Amino acid sequence: MTLRKSLVAALAALTPFVATSAIAASVTVGFSQIGSESGWRAAETSVSKSEAQKRNITLKIADAQQKQENQIKAIRSFVAQGVDAIFLAPVVATGWDAVLNEAKDAKIPVILLDRDIETANKSLYLTAVTSDSVHEGVVAGEWLAKNVGSKPCNVVELQGTVGASVATNRKKGFDEAIAKHSNIKMIRSQTGDFTRAKGKEVTESFLKAENGGKNICALYAHNDDMAVGAIQAIKEAGLKPGKDILVVSIDAVPDIFKAFMSGEANATVELTPNMAGPAFDALIAFKEKGTVPPKWIQTDSKLYTPTDDPQKIYDSKKGLGY
Ligand code: AHR
């Protein structure tokens, strides 16, 4: 199969059937995307474009380069352009009320993608398409507890972007899960900002501070990209990731399945990059029939380990834009 054919097949598999309509064809959506900090984010951008295309929706994407102020500017620009709806992947959880009130005054529905916001006024957005990110942390923590059994285990944590709902929640869920096991102790926790480079840099400092890594039993990363950076740091420190230090993370990007195949990572919790598909469907039903979607459209969180045929999963994901 050519690269192009496998990309088309992989994207088609994400949404087997998509209803198009005259309304969808006349809809323009402005998407304020965070940036391209991770493989998952790149895939979300790419899948959003193809989901828009399938429905004949015009999608305008503004890349905020991880800055909330750029997202606020982009939303104001979408309002000025009179788009039919705004999708927002909010880099941090707070500070959105003023600009979302401007969108509301202009009668432009806003849909949150992949992260939540903190607001007392839920009418500022139509719906949020996200995973249960507390649950993702719980799944990762329970996997670790099951795998270390009663052995003492010191854990280090790479957090996502400070103030992002998913970073707060993934920490909360994991902490809750390991709190039930007195042999598991979180000894260091720091942000790696969801990037490979920072994941590596912070892990290097953890290893130095913890007897070259000998005091560390497991590393929990809030995303796979930071885990991949950490794996590199662990190898450079002369230890075996996946064995000397267990590695558990979140996203299920193709590179983590490669790491499964080489025995260097142990578990990941999947986050689908297809947040836009359900958001477009909710938007069209709202515009066509006035159907008000639930406030939360929850996506699945599935645990993968090296026993799940990593080569097959790698092949099925590699064409999705990660
Ligand atoms: O909000 C989703 C998170 O953002 C992904 O898990 C991470 O990779 C991304 O940067």
Side-chain angles (χ1 to χ4, degrees):
M1 215 189 264
T2 63
L3 185 63
R4 193 181 140 69
K5 273 190 183 157
S6 65
L7 175 64
V8 170
L11 292 177
L14 274 174
T15 311
F17 173 76
V18 175
T20 51
S21 70
I23 291 228
S26 65
V27 161
T28 296
V29 175
F31 177 16
S32 169
Q33 176 59 297
I34 292 173
S36 50
E37 73 281 4
S38 66
W40 183 89
R41 183 69 53 200
E44 187 196 40
T45 300
S46 154
V47 171
S48 300
K49 288 178 189 164
S50 63
E51 291 294 315
Q53 246 169 27
K54 280 181 200 170
R55 294 166 177 83
N56 291 321
I57 288 172
T58 305
L59 183 66
K60 297 181 173 182
I61 301 183
D63 177 338
Q65 301 185 336
Q66 338 298 331
K67 291 198 175 75
Q68 183 179 35
E69 72 230 47
N70 290 344
Q71 292 203 284
I72 291 173
K73 275 189 207 144
I75 294 170
R76 291 208 166 111
S77 156
F78 289 142
V79 170
Q81 290 168 51
V83 296
D84 301 293
I86 294 171
F87 288 0
L88 167 64
V91 61
V92 291
T94 56
W96 298 103
D97 280 33
V99 73
L100 294 191
N101 260 310
E102 292 169 31
K104 190 178 176 192
D105 289 346
K107 301 203 176 0
I108 300 175
V110 172
I111 297 186
L112 305 180
L113 297 193
D114 75 82
R115 296 185 188 178
D116 267 325
I117 61 168
E118 281 170 32
T119 178
N121 184 0
K122 299 274 181 202
S123 76
L124 291 178
Y125 61 90
L126 182 65
T127 183
V129 184
T130 75
S131 62
D132 180 341
S133 44
V134 176
H135 179 66
E136 290 167 343
V138 171
V139 172
E142 285 177 348
W143 175 86
L144 183 68
K146 195 171 154 208
N147 280 271
V148 296
S150 57
K151 276 191 309 190
C153 182
N154 287 338
V155 186
V156 294
E157 177 182 41
L158 294 170
Q159 295 180 36
T161 303
V162 176
S165 64
V166 286
T168 310
N169 294 343
R170 287 171 182 173
K171 173 159 193 50
K172 183 171 183 268
F174 188 85
D175 286 349
E176 272 170 25
I178 64 166
K180 296 181 186 142
H181 305 270
S182 56
N183 57 314
I184 304 179
K185 218 168 105 198
M186 178 68 73
I187 56 167
R188 288 183 188 268
S189 179
Q190 207 178 304
T191 182
D193 214 7
F194 281 129
T195 70
R196 255 174 223 222
K198 286 229 177 106
K200 179 167 187 273
E201 190 186 305
V202 175
T203 305
E204 283 165 354
S205 72
F206 287 163
L207 293 164
K208 264 194 206 126
E210 295 299 337
N211 193 18
K214 292 188 189 75
N215 298 345
I216 304 171
C217 141
L219 177 133
Y220 166 48
H222 290 190
N223 81 347
D224 290 342
D225 279 76
M226 291 190 292
V228 170
I231 287 169
Q232 192 55 37
I234 296 168
K235 288 203 284 194
E236 286 172 16
L239 296 175
K240 291 195 178 81
K243 292 183 186 75
D244 298 328
I245 298 180
L246 299 175
V247 177
V248 52
S249 51
I250 294 169
D251 274 356
V253 306
D255 280 353
I256 210 73
F257 292 95
K258 266 200 202 161
F260 280 2
M261 289 186 254
S262 53
E264 294 175 343
N266 308 88
T268 188
V269 184
E270 184 172 43
L271 179 69
T272 176
N274 187 10
M275 301 280 161
F280 286 133
D281 291 342
L283 178 68
I284 297 309
F286 179 67
K287 292 215 168 268
E288 269 183 0
K289 301 181 206 135
T291 310
V292 178
K295 216 66 207 174
W296 183 19
I297 299 175
Q298 190 186 335
T299 62
D300 288 343
S301 308
K302 182 173 164 15
L303 176 74
Y304 284 104
T305 68
T307 57
D308 289 309
D309 198 348
Q311 181 68 59
K312 191 171 162 206
I313 302 164
Y314 175 83
D315 290 342
S316 71
K317 283 177 175 267
K318 68 172 192 261
L320 290 175
Y322 284 99

